[in-house]
Amino acid sequence: EALLSRLQNTMLLAFTALWLTRWPLFPVGIDPAYHLCIARQMVEAGGVLTYEWGEAAPLGRPHLYPPLLHVLLAGLLKLGCPPITALRLLSAVLIPGVLGSIYVVMRRLAGAGVALACLWMAMMPFGWMLQVTQAMASGVALLEFLWLVAALAAHRRMAAACLLALMGYTHLGLPWI
C-alpha cells in the first residue's frame, strides 16, 4: 500500500510538471475567451451580471450561464492578474486538480489499487484533458461532482446537497446527471 501511494504521488507530480510545460499553449479553444469576456464585464459592472448585452446584440438577453467560473476569473482579474494569465492559470490547474481529486476520492472509496487504476485511465486520453481544459465550467463542475460522490459515500448529505447546488451554480447541464 505504501508503494502504491508513492507511485500515485510520483505519477501526479510528474504529470503536473509535464502539463505545466504546456503553459504557452493555454488557453485551448474559444470557450475560455467567452468566459474571460464575461468576467471582464463583471469587473467593469462591479458584480455578477444578470443581463448579457454582447451575446445577442443589439438588444441583449438575460444572462443564462451560472456565474461561478466568471466569479473565479473576475477575482483573479481584480487581484491584478493579466487576462490571458488568468485563463492560463485556470487551464493549468484544472486537470491536475481533477486527477488529484480522482486519486483521493477513489482511494477513499475503493482503496489504493483501484485509485491507481483510475488515475492511469484518466491520464491516458489526451483529447479528454484538452476538452476539460477548453470547457472550463464543466471541468470545475467535474471537480465538484467527484467530491459529491465522496460526500454521498460518506453519508454526508448536507455536504452533498451543497456540492450539488454548487454544481448548479457552475454549469446548468451537469447537476441533472
Side-chain angles (χ1 to χ4, degrees):
E1 179 116 356
L3 178 64
L4 285 177
S5 181
R6 276 188 271 142
L7 181 60
Q8 288 167 335
N9 291 337
T10 304
M11 284 174 47
L12 280 171
L13 288 173
F15 177 87
T16 301
L18 289 171
W19 185 254
L20 291 177
T21 63
R22 299 185 55 79
W23 179 266
L25 303 175
F26 293 135
V28 178
I30 61 170
D31 190 49
Y34 164 78
H35 295 298
L36 179 63
C37 179
I38 298 299
R40 292 179 86 177
Q41 290 173 2
M42 285 176 66
V43 170
E44 291 171 9
V48 175
L49 298 176
T50 58
Y51 201 74
E52 217 173 337
W53 54 86
E55 186 71 17
L59 301 175
R61 69 170 187 194
H63 190 66
L64 303 174
Y65 216 98
L68 182 69
L69 178 63
H70 305 139
V71 168
L72 292 173
L73 285 170
L76 288 172
L77 295 176
K78 282 195 164 209
L79 289 173
C81 190
I84 295 300
T85 304
L87 284 179
R88 284 181 174 166
L89 185 61
L90 193 56
S91 296
V93 169
L94 194 56
I95 288 295
V98 167
L99 292 174
S101 294
I102 289 171
Y103 164 67
V104 172
V105 169
M106 290 311 299
R107 187 176 173 99
R108 285 183 186 178
L109 296 178
V114 173
L116 179 62
C118 289
L119 194 57
W120 279 344
M121 286 188 286
M123 287 178 166
M124 287 183 194
F126 187 68
W128 171 77
M129 290 181 225
L130 291 178
Q131 181 62 31
V132 170
T133 303
Q134 180 178 355
M136 289 179 177
S138 32
V140 173
L142 177 59
L143 276 169
E144 296 159 357
F145 178 73
L146 288 166
W147 290 104
L148 169 66
V149 170
L152 287 173
H155 303 290
R156 298 180 65 199
R157 290 186 178 106
M158 184 59 82
C162 290
L163 284 162
L164 186 61
L166 191 59
M167 278 181 69
Y169 208 61
T170 305
H171 196 289
L172 287 178
L174 296 176
W176 309 109
I177 293 173

